[in-house]
């Protein structure tokens, strides 16, 4: 849920370094990654590194997806 994701982000060191807008961008990405994994149970692992966040957008430079077949 959104509350759980917000709480998880708040527990990280990163959270205090982000502006409110950047935190919202990260939360939106987390929600979309969660949705993706819920809709595709064959995805067993999703590694995002790095997730880059600017003042107005967030984007993934590299992703590793592990599928269970």
């Amino acid at each position: 849920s959104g509350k759980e994701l917000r709480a998880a982000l708040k527990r990280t060191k990163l959270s205090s370094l982000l502006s409110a807008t950047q935190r919202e961008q990260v939360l939106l990405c987390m929600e979309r990654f969660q949705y993706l994994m819920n809709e595709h149970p064959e995805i067993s692992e999703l590694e995002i590194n790095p997730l880059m966040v600017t003042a107005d957008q967030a984007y993934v430079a590299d992703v590793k997806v592990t599928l269970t077949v």
Side-chain angles (χ1 to χ4, degrees):
S1 77
K3 282 184 178 183
E4 291 170 343
L5 292 175
R6 191 172 297 280
L9 179 59
K10 192 172 184 176
R11 288 190 302 266
T12 68
K13 293 177 186 178
L14 172 70
S15 182
S16 64
L17 301 174
L18 299 173
S19 70
T21 303
Q22 289 172 316
R23 272 192 300 278
E24 291 304 315
Q25 291 288 340
V26 171
L27 286 167
L28 180 60
C29 287
M30 292 170 68
E31 288 172 354
R32 289 179 177 174
F33 296 143
Q34 184 180 48
Y35 174 81
L36 178 67
M37 293 191 73
N38 286 339
E39 290 297 307
H40 298 278
E42 66 274 14
I43 299 175
S44 59
E45 184 179 342
L46 188 62
E47 183 180 325
I48 310 311
N49 191 13
L51 173 67
M52 296 186 215
V53 183
T54 65
D56 60 343
Q57 67 179 354
Y59 55 97
V60 174
D62 190 29
V63 63
K64 175 183 171 186
V65 179
T66 304
L67 302 175
T68 303
V69 287

